[in-house]
Amino acid sequence: QVQPVESGGGLVQPGGSLRLSCAASGRPFSHYAVGWFRQAPGKEREFVATISGSGDITYYGDSVKGRFTISRDYAKNTVYLQMNSLNPEDTAVYYCATKWTSSTRVTFSSPSAYNDWGQGTQVTVSS
């Protein structure tokens, strides 16, 4: 079991950047696919990005493609979400989720695929 913990949220102006972190305690980290999701008030949870256990397969939601980058650091058991060119529509609580996989080369974009979720970190984009 991997209990992820998110950090790095905050208030940023439109056009700015933030980097979110997702620290996970489980072993082996390379067998966990990790996903980022977000939920704005009154809206459904939305897929943002996912990365395979191997780290070389990534997939992004259409609304963030080209602006956000997901990556992972095995030495720190941490997955990052670099968010650039932020706009007010990116305002939401961002959640990190993990799923153990026998294959290290799979990703998942559906929230129902993930077993463990963090508490979330608030990102607010406003001038």
Side-chain angles (χ1 to χ4, degrees), residues 22-94:
C22 172
S25 59
R27 297 288 189 278
F29 189 50
S30 60
H31 275 268
Y32 285 88
V34 178
W36 282 99
F37 297 82
R38 66 186 183 186
Q39 189 163 20
K43 294 187 177 181
E44 292 186 354
R45 190 162 293 191
E46 177 188 9
F47 166 70
V48 175
T50 180
I51 188 166
S52 63
S54 59
D56 60 344
I57 301 173
T58 59
Y59 182 59
Y60 297 90
D62 289 341
S63 61
V64 307
K65 206 171 292 183
R67 299 187 298 124
F68 291 11
T69 302
I70 190 170
S71 62
R72 61 195 301 162
D73 183 332
Y74 295 93
K76 297 181 178 179
N77 267 27
T78 299
V79 169
Y80 300 102
L81 184 68
Q82 178 66 44
M83 306 186 296
N84 298 329
S85 302
L86 286 162
N87 58 63
E89 289 69 40
D90 295 315
T91 296
V93 177
Y94 283 69

Side-chain angles (χ1 to χ4, degrees), residues 1-6 22-23 35-39 45-47 93-99 108-120:
Q1 184 178 358
V2 176
Q3 185 60 54
V5 178
E6 305 97 335
C22 172
W36 282 99
F37 297 82
R38 66 186 183 186
Q39 189 163 20
R45 190 162 293 191
E46 177 188 9
F47 166 70
V93 177
Y94 283 69
Y95 298 91
C96 173
T98 60
K99 176 180 175 61
F108 305 91
S109 60
S110 171
S112 62
Y114 291 88
N115 305 114
D116 297 290
W117 292 79
Q119 294 299 308

